[in-house]
Amino acid sequence: GAVVSQHPSRVICKSGTSVKIECRSLDFQATTMFWYRQFPKQSLMLMATSNEGSKATYEQGVEKDKFLINHASLTLSTLTVTSAHPEDSSFYICSARSGTWGAYEQYFGPGTRLTVT
Amino acid sequence: AQSVTQLGSHVSVSEGALVLLRCNYSSSVPPYLFWYVQYPNQGLQLLLKYTTGATLVKGINGFEAEFKKSETSFHLTKPSAHMSDAAEYFCAVIRNYQLIWGAGTKLIIKP
């Protein structure tokens, strides 16, 4: 199957700083990428959907000025958590799909564990 | 609106025993249904999916699921559990090209 990578796998940052998470599709062109947040012992919460070259569409309740998403190329999307606070600590997962696939086919990255101290 | 309910946040079975993870959905239209598995500190991997056609769907690693419209269920089963099956399992339904997730069930395998 298609491969999606995320970097870094773990990051610890201080409160008030910003951190960037990268999501890459390694062997396909990702026309759409999704960013999820997963709290401990809970399911995934979709944060936003981004299409290459367009502004991301954020889900209700997600602060777009705090969680900056850039999908500048067909293989790379980035999520920047700005002015991070301890409550932003979470597991962030991206997924990607190609426009040539069925509507439901998407592949997931391994996730990034963010800890804000 | 579509939603997904997974009964049991934790399920514990002995190695070699039957695995049954329950998933019920609500949907106003025929659903596309999925089971994903998440191993510790890893992303999600598609186990199997139901879109149309045969209601008994076979997936990877010996898992299968049956779509029962009358019961609005899509339970995941495996005849004989293996230690390597220990993971978190998520049921999902698609809505507007987006996945709607159940809360997940952690499968624990006892030696």
Side-chain angles (χ1 to χ4, degrees):
Chain A
V3 180
V4 176
S5 70
Q6 276 184 247
H7 178 79
S9 58
R10 291 177 179 269
V11 58
I12 300 173
C13 70
K14 293 187 176 180
S15 185
T17 62
S18 296
V19 61
K20 179 183 288 187
I21 302 169
E22 292 186 349
C23 177
R24 292 181 185 273
S25 58
L26 299 185
D27 51 2
F28 66 99
Q29 293 185 324
T31 50
T32 304
M33 286 187 170
F34 304 88
W35 285 96
Y36 294 88
R37 183 173 179 176
Q38 186 178 27
F39 293 98
K41 301 182 180 180
Q42 293 188 33
S43 186
L44 285 78
M45 180 193 77
L46 179 65
M47 299 174 66
T49 302
S50 72
N51 293 296
E52 185 266 336
S54 302
K55 289 185 177 180
T57 301
Y58 290 81
E59 295 299 303
Q60 192 172 7
V62 178
E63 299 176 61
K64 62 180 181 181
D65 294 330
K66 180 170 186 62
F67 298 99
L68 301 178
I69 293 172
N70 184 288
H71 190 170
S73 78
L74 284 170
T75 60
L76 174 64
S77 177
T78 60
L79 167 67
T80 301
V81 182
T82 63
S83 187
H85 289 137
E87 56 264 32
D88 298 326
S89 298
S90 192
F91 193 53
Y92 293 87
I93 302 174
C94 73
S95 71
R97 62 180 297 272
S98 168
T100 61
W101 298 345
Y104 47 79
E105 282 200 74
Q106 54 182 279
Y107 290 86
F108 289 81
T112 297
R113 176 78 59 191
L114 171 63
T115 303
V116 184
T117 61
Chain B
Q2 286 127 317
S3 67
V4 178
T5 302
Q6 290 183 242
L7 294 176
S9 59
H10 292 75
V11 169
S12 181
V13 302
S14 297
E15 190 174 17
L18 171 72
V19 175
L20 171 61
L21 304 183
R22 300 177 186 274
C23 173
N24 288 87
Y25 68 91
S26 65
S27 174
S28 57
V29 297
Y32 286 179
L33 294 157
F34 308 82
W35 275 100
Y36 282 84
V37 60
Q38 183 180 30
Y39 296 101
N41 297 313
Q42 294 187 31
L44 288 93
Q45 181 181 9
L46 180 65
L47 270 179
L48 49 80
K49 62 181 183 285
Y50 168 79
T51 54
T52 58
T55 56
L56 181 62
V57 180
K58 295 187 184 298
I60 62 172
N61 301 337
F63 283 93
E64 62 182 35
E66 186 171 10
F67 169 58
K68 292 187 176 180
K69 184 178 179 180
S70 61
E71 299 177 7
T72 61
S73 69
F74 191 56
H75 301 331
L76 181 71
T77 61
K78 181 174 181 177
S80 177
H82 192 273
M83 295 300 292
S84 61
D85 295 326
E88 188 95 23
Y89 292 80
F90 293 93
C91 182
V93 63
I94 202 159
R95 179 190 71 190
N96 296 332
Y97 300 92
Q98 294 176 356
L99 287 164
I100 308 301
W101 300 88
T105 298
K106 185 173 184 178
L107 178 61
I108 300 164
I109 310 296
K110 297 179 292 185

